[in-house]
């Protein structure tokens, strides 16, 4: 194996191939978990590049972008929120897997064997299929997964619309692998399986010919995201569509797909996108009489009700006409530009926070996370044209200046840093009983 430090670098060629699960076993086999690169974090420039490529292709072929800006901002916001807990906590999927491996494994397959690599590929993908299928068929799991399906558009940004707490239910479906697959091999495939699913969230790729018999393709996954009756709970695959064909959940794309939830939520506010269905379950739980019925509210399908089959009645799913218009923001063009600028600044702080988390204090980390959440909330309020949007945004701007003033954030506009330091110096000067007047050189050095 190569030097672990060298393994942390991902070349452009490797970056492109990792997005399509085309890395080789000898490139991605590691002795210990600590040697495994964070491929998902390193994929950020490739996410952006592919989204720009999708935009270009869509503009050339259709004369319009692949989706709405407000929907894309909401999708990326959900992705940002879903990753924030990892600043403070280790991955639950990996932690539970390591616990089983260290205490209950039956035997250990060699970490550097190609056979182990390919077996893990199949095992992780098989586990993902059942996790994903249950996320549609078990109401409490759907409460997390519905976040991903709440977008009424379908483009590469939709892939980033992830739940904050979905990860808490997925680990159990991979746990049997911990009886014999080393954690370092599992960690590689867990990331690749996720990265593969990014590029299939697009409408610019149509038919992939015979590949669609084996692989999950954009066409297959468009069906999965549809709210047409024929699309519901279909095509749950991660990488290989063979699982859906084997277990009866496959459906080919035929009539026009209408995207989103069967009952649209019509909002861009990130917390409502994440948690509105949990509120619905809570309300339904207390309104449903009988212990076993309450139990069913949590563990049967989203469409279940007393006297209905486990997954509900398909005829109760609202029909679509194909003429549905996706929900969009009523914000002015100028306000949309403002939200994009603030979102871009927030992303810069977000990326910097992850890059520097090892050297940042817990207080700074916490304050930065609170600021990121406040920014996403304010942007959602602005796009939704909520009555308190101006108040929230004013408070956010004041919080930004305060955090910059005390060094928890670094402003990207030098003049902001200069103004903050001048204000600080002025306050310090006024509070000095000696009324000392520094010369220009000392002032410049202080700034």
């Amino acid at each position: 194996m190569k030097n672990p430090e060298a393994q942390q670098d991902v070349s452009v060629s490797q970056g492109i191939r990792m997005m399509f699960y085309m890395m080789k076993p000898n490139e991605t086999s590691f002795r210990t978990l600590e040697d495994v690169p964070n491929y998902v974090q390193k994929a950020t420039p490739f996410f952006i590049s592919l989204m720009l490529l999708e935009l270009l292709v869509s503009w050339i072929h259709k004369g319009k972008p692949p989706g709405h800006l407000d929907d894309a901002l909401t999708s990326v916001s959900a992705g940002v929120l879903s990753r924030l807990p990892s600043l403070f906590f280790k991955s639950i999927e990996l932690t539970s897997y390591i616990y089983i491996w260290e205490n209950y494994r039956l035997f250990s397959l060699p970490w550097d064997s190609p056979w182990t690599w390919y077996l893990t590929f199949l095992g992780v993908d098989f586990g993902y299929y059942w996790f994903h299928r249950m996320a549609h068929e078990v109401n409490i799991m759907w409460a997390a997964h519905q976040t991903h399906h709440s977008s009424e558009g379908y483009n590469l940004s939709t892939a980033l619309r992830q739940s904050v707490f979905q990860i808490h239910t997925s680990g159990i479906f991979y746990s049997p692998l911990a009886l014999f697959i080393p954690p370092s091999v599992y960690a590689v495939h867990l990331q690749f399986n996720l990265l593969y699913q990014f590029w299939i969230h697009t409408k610019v790729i149509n038919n992939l010919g015979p590949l669609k018999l084996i692989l999950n393709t954009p066409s297959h996954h468009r069906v999965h995201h549809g709210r047409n009756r024929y699309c519901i709970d279909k095509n749950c695959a991660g990488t290989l569509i063979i699982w859906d064909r084997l277990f009866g959940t496959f459906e080919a794309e035929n009539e026009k797909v209408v995207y989103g939830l069967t009952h649209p939520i019509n909002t861009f506010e990130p917390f409502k996108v994440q948690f509105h269905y949990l509120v619905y379950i809570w309300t339904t739980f207390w309104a449903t009489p009988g212990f076993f019925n309450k139990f069913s509210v949590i563990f049967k399908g989203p469409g279940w009700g007393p006297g209905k089959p486990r997954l509900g009645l398909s005829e109760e799913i609202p029909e679509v006409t194909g003429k549905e218009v996706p929900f969009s923001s009523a914000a002015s063009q100028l306000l949309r530009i403002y939200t994009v600028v603030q979102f871009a600044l927030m992303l810069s702080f977000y990326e910097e926070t992850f890059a520097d988390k090892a050297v940042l204090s817990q207080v700074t980390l916490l304050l930065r996370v609170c600021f990121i959440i406040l920014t996403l909330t304010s942007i959602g309020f602005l796009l939704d044209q909520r009555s308190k949007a101006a108040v929230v945004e004013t408070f956010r701007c004041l919080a930004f200046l305060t955090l910059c003033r005390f060094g928890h954030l670094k402003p990207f506009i030098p003049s902001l840093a200069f103004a903050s330091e001048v204000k600080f110096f002025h306050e310090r000067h006024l509070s000095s009983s000696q009324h000392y007047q520094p010369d220009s050189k000392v002032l410049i050095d202080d700034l």
Side-chain angles (χ1 to χ4, degrees):
M1 190 182 74
K2 296 179 181 179
N3 186 329
E5 290 299 324
Q7 290 285 0
Q8 298 300 312
D9 297 324
V10 174
S11 67
V12 174
S13 170
Q14 289 176 323
I16 294 172
R17 288 185 289 119
M18 76 182 183
M19 300 298 293
F20 299 93
Y21 221 137
M22 297 175 66
M23 296 281 272
K24 300 175 182 177
N26 63 345
E27 295 177 284
T28 55
S29 295
F30 306 94
R31 182 184 298 276
T32 67
L33 190 60
E34 290 71 23
D35 294 334
V36 178
N38 190 334
Y39 290 109
V40 174
Q41 184 172 325
K42 293 176 183 297
T44 299
F46 300 97
F47 289 151
I48 296 172
S49 298
L50 287 174
M51 285 192 285
L52 291 175
L53 179 61
E54 180 190 41
L55 174 63
L56 178 63
V57 172
S58 179
W59 202 277
I60 292 174
H61 284 274
K62 300 180 180 180
K64 60 180 182 180
H68 296 286
L69 177 64
D70 43 26
D71 185 78
L73 288 179
T74 306
S75 292
V76 181
S77 294
V80 168
L81 281 176
S82 71
R83 287 194 64 209
L84 291 179
S86 65
L87 286 169
F88 304 98
F89 310 106
K90 294 183 178 180
S91 167
I92 293 178
E93 285 176 310
L94 281 175
T95 302
S96 58
Y97 190 95
I98 293 169
Y99 178 80
I100 296 173
W101 166 261
E102 292 180 344
N103 295 278
Y104 300 105
R105 70 175 179 266
L106 302 177
F107 56 91
S108 303
L109 292 179
W111 63 268
D112 54 353
S113 169
W115 290 106
T116 303
W117 197 94
Y118 288 113
L119 178 63
T120 310
F121 160 69
L122 291 173
V124 168
D125 202 50
F126 182 71
Y128 179 83
Y129 168 80
W130 284 106
F131 153 68
H132 195 183
R133 180 170 173 175
M134 291 302 102
H136 282 259
E137 297 183 4
V138 177
N139 211 20
I140 192 64
M141 293 179 65
W142 172 248
H145 189 59
Q146 61 80 31
T147 299
H148 182 59
H149 283 263
S150 60
S151 171
E152 295 182 46
Y154 190 78
N155 51 65
L156 292 178
S157 71
T158 308
L160 304 178
R161 186 179 288 225
Q162 298 294 328
S163 167
V164 171
F165 62 96
Q166 179 171 284
I167 194 172
H168 297 294
T169 60
S170 58
I172 189 173
F173 295 89
Y174 303 119
S175 57
L177 298 175
L179 299 175
F180 53 92
I181 299 291
S184 61
V185 185
Y186 166 72
V188 167
H189 288 278
L190 191 64
Q191 294 186 80
F192 286 169
N193 190 275
L194 177 65
L195 291 174
Y196 177 89
Q197 294 177 58
F198 177 76
W199 75 275
I200 60 178
H201 289 83
T202 185
K203 292 188 287 187
V204 302
I205 298 175
N206 293 320
N207 195 321
L208 290 181
L211 290 177
K212 67 183 180 182
L213 298 175
I214 301 174
L215 296 176
N216 194 10
T217 67
S219 176
H220 297 331
H221 206 61
R222 285 194 290 268
V223 170
H224 179 73
H225 273 260
R227 57 184 165 114
N228 315 54
R229 289 182 179 177
Y230 87 95
C231 298
I232 302 299
D233 299 340
K234 300 298 182 182
N235 299 356
C236 299
T239 303
L240 300 175
I241 201 65
I242 58 174
W243 311 121
D244 286 288
R245 296 184 185 276
L246 285 172
F247 298 110
T249 52
F250 175 76
E251 189 69 47
E253 184 179 27
N254 46 66
E255 64 187 72
K256 179 183 177 181
V257 177
V258 178
Y259 304 101
L261 300 172
T262 57
H263 298 83
I265 55 175
N266 296 335
T267 184
F268 301 112
E269 201 275 298
F271 278 92
K272 189 172 182 180
V273 170
Q274 291 282 345
F275 304 119
H276 78 97
Y277 198 79
L278 273 179
V279 176
Y280 169 78
I281 289 180
W282 177 261
T283 305
T284 306
F285 177 86
W286 290 110
T288 303
F291 172 79
F292 289 105
N293 284 339
K294 290 182 184 294
F295 182 86
S296 297
V297 167
I298 297 175
F299 295 105
K300 288 189 178 180
W304 178 85
K308 298 177 184 178
R310 182 176 67 88
L311 298 180
L313 300 169
S314 60
E315 55 265 30
E316 291 185 352
I317 298 171
E319 289 195 52
V320 299
T321 64
K323 298 179 181 179
E324 286 76 8
V325 178
F327 177 70
S328 61
S329 173
S332 67
Q333 191 67 28
L334 185 61
L335 186 56
R336 289 169 186 258
I337 294 173
Y338 175 81
T339 60
V340 170
V341 171
Q342 298 305 318
F343 191 83
L345 290 173
M346 181 279 303
L347 279 182
S348 299
F349 292 130
Y350 166 80
E351 288 294 332
E352 181 190 77
T353 300
F354 271 88
D356 298 341
K357 70 176 183 178
V359 297
L360 295 175
S361 70
Q362 289 296 300
V363 172
T364 298
L365 275 178
L366 182 60
L367 289 173
R368 286 194 177 197
V369 166
C370 289
F371 176 74
I372 289 170
I373 293 173
L374 179 60
T375 300
L376 297 179
T377 302
S378 181
I379 288 174
F381 274 36
L382 290 170
L383 292 176
D384 275 358
Q385 295 287 273
R386 297 273 289 272
S387 58
K388 296 181 179 179
V391 175
V392 174
E393 178 59 14
T394 300
F395 177 74
R396 189 195 70 85
C397 291
L398 291 174
F400 170 79
L401 293 175
T402 302
L403 291 174
C404 289
R405 161 69 176 76
F406 289 100
H408 296 294
L409 286 178
K410 291 186 292 185
F412 289 88
I413 303 174
S415 59
L416 288 178
F418 178 81
S420 177
E421 290 296 333
V422 167
K423 181 175 182 292
F424 170 63
F425 176 80
H426 180 63
E427 291 172 348
R428 187 176 62 182
H429 170 70
L430 289 178
S431 64
S432 173
S433 60
Q434 298 179 357
H435 301 287
Y436 172 65
Q437 299 293 332
D439 61 28
S440 59
K441 181 179 185 302
V442 173
L443 177 59
I444 292 173
D445 290 342
D446 191 31
L447 296 177

